[in-house]
Amino acid sequence: LKTISLLERGLVQVKETVGALLVEARLKSRDLAHQDVEDVRTLVAPAAQKKRVRLAWCNELSETLPLPATLLRQILINLVGNAIKFTNDGGVILLVNHSEGAEDHILFNFEVTDTGIGIEPEKVDSIFEQFTQVDSSTSRKYGGTGLGLTIVKKLTELQGGNISVHSELNKGTTFTLRIGYALGERPDLT
């Protein structure tokens, strides 16, 4: 009974967090700028330094992009924060760029790669589920609730994007986020 109550409270927390981020994004409807990505590095650098994990940043955004800065910053903080958390040796790389899509579309790419513990192939599909971690020892060793990637996926999908993951056990993981944007339009976050 306690577990069910905890799960219900957790579900409410996810919905409230996503809702609060959406409200803030609508209110502050500011486009993503190069500096927003650099700010993420500033925010996660202390955790990387504490673990002696190298951070490499390739931020190819030279102009303001028509994507909600608040939501993208939250997504990147979650992904890079997880990468640092699950990397004991090596580093974390963030690549941000955009490319021309079909005719009047631009494709924005955000890629976070780490040399961390990796994920077993049969467990990769479940990591975006609420309260899911690779196994129970993961939450004991690294902490967390299993909600961060659920929130990342929901925020990505609300912007019409998708997120994928490629991982090799004991070698590392890459999360790739892609959001397409039609020129002259802003993503609808309602």
Side-chain angles (χ1 to χ4, degrees):
L1 191 58
K2 286 183 179 181
T3 302
I4 292 172
S5 177
L6 177 63
L7 291 173
E8 288 172 345
R9 287 193 312 271
L11 290 172
V12 169
Q13 180 181 351
V14 168
K15 288 178 185 175
E16 289 175 354
T17 300
V18 170
L21 287 169
L22 289 173
V23 167
E24 184 177 348
R26 277 190 221 110
L27 292 175
K28 294 184 178 179
S29 194
R30 184 173 58 78
D31 291 345
L32 183 72
H34 179 87
Q35 189 57 47
D36 290 307
V37 177
E38 296 306 311
D39 290 347
V40 171
R41 181 191 343 213
T42 301
L43 292 169
V44 299
Q49 290 169 350
K50 184 176 180 179
K51 288 190 72 177
R52 299 182 193 270
V53 170
R54 293 183 309 277
L55 284 180
W57 230 245
C58 184
N59 181 2
E60 297 178 7
L61 301 183
S62 58
E63 57 192 64
T64 301
L65 302 176
L67 293 171
T70 302
L71 298 182
L72 265 298
R73 283 171 53 125
Q74 185 62 53
I75 288 168
L76 294 176
I77 288 168
N78 282 8
L79 291 176
V80 175
N82 275 356
I84 292 167
K85 180 174 22 173
F86 294 109
T87 299
N88 296 318
D89 186 34
V92 173
I93 300 169
L94 173 66
L95 170 64
V96 180
N97 63 28
H98 64 282
S99 57
E100 297 297 322
E103 295 181 23
D104 60 348
H105 281 74
I106 297 176
L107 184 63
F108 299 102
N109 304 295
F110 304 86
E111 189 172 283
V112 177
T113 301
D114 66 58
T115 58
I117 62 174
I119 305 165
E120 295 176 38
E122 62 273 7
K123 295 186 178 179
V124 168
D125 290 337
S126 68
I127 63 172
F128 293 107
E129 295 173 13
Q130 296 176 28
F131 306 108
T132 300
Q133 297 216 353
V134 173
D135 62 45
S136 59
S137 66
T138 302
S139 60
R140 283 193 303 273
K141 183 173 182 179
Y142 295 99
T145 60
L147 293 174
L149 291 176
T150 302
I151 292 169
V152 164
K153 184 173 182 183
K154 286 182 186 286
L155 293 176
T156 301
E157 290 172 348
L158 283 169
Q159 297 175 78
N162 64 60
I163 186 164
S164 61
V165 59
H166 172 76
S167 188
E168 290 186 50
L169 195 59
N170 300 316
K171 292 189 177 181
T173 303
T174 298
F175 285 91
T176 304
L177 169 70
R178 290 192 174 91
I179 301 175
Y181 170 74
L183 295 174
E185 292 181 16
R186 287 194 54 82
D188 182 13
L189 301 177
T190 57

